[in-house]
Amino acid sequence: DIIILEIKNLTVIADYFVICSADTTIQAKAIADYIVEVLEKNSINLKRMEGYLFGQWILIDYVDVIVHIFEKEKRKFYQLEKLWIDAPEVEFEVDE
């Protein structure tokens, strides 16, 4: 379950939030590792990462884009999408 929210007209902290879920903390860390690896290969540098140690909510900051990887229970608890209810959702397709 992945959503992308366009927040650039609502805040100065970023242009987009990418929010996704993982079944376990191990899976959340694997998703984070993959994102960092792929973007590094494309010369996109990580600004900072938080929450990796515990893996329940990992935040990956790329300045204009902030990725939130939640363990499913934490995503349900925090409901970040509802905090940004005014942000339009960006349509995208996932390659299989």
Side-chain angles (χ1 to χ4, degrees):
D1 188 26
I2 303 169
I3 66 166
I4 300 173
L5 299 177
E6 184 179 312
I7 60 169
K8 64 184 170 187
N9 294 324
L10 302 174
T11 183
V12 296
I13 62 172
D15 291 343
Y16 298 93
F17 275 171
V18 177
I19 304 170
C20 67
S21 301
D23 291 325
T24 65
T25 57
I26 293 170
Q27 187 181 40
K29 290 179 180 183
I31 293 167
D33 291 341
Y34 181 75
I35 290 168
V36 171
E37 178 184 326
V38 169
L39 293 180
E40 275 182 1
K41 286 180 182 177
N42 289 284
S43 301
I44 300 172
N45 297 318
L46 172 69
K47 179 180 177 186
R48 70 176 182 194
M49 184 184 310
E50 296 181 12
Y52 186 87
L53 182 63
F54 297 107
Q56 296 176 336
W57 179 358
I58 301 172
L59 181 143
I60 308 172
D61 188 349
Y62 285 99
V63 183
D64 293 334
V65 177
I66 298 175
V67 180
H68 299 270
I69 306 165
F70 286 97
E71 191 177 40
K72 284 186 178 181
E73 297 299 318
K74 292 295 179 187
R75 184 169 177 185
K76 190 183 302 182
F77 177 79
Y78 286 106
Q79 298 183 15
L80 191 59
E81 303 92 305
K82 290 188 179 181
L83 292 174
W84 295 93
I85 195 80
D86 293 335
E89 192 170 334
V90 176
E91 297 293 324
F92 67 99
E93 291 184 25
V94 177
D95 292 335
E96 295 297 323

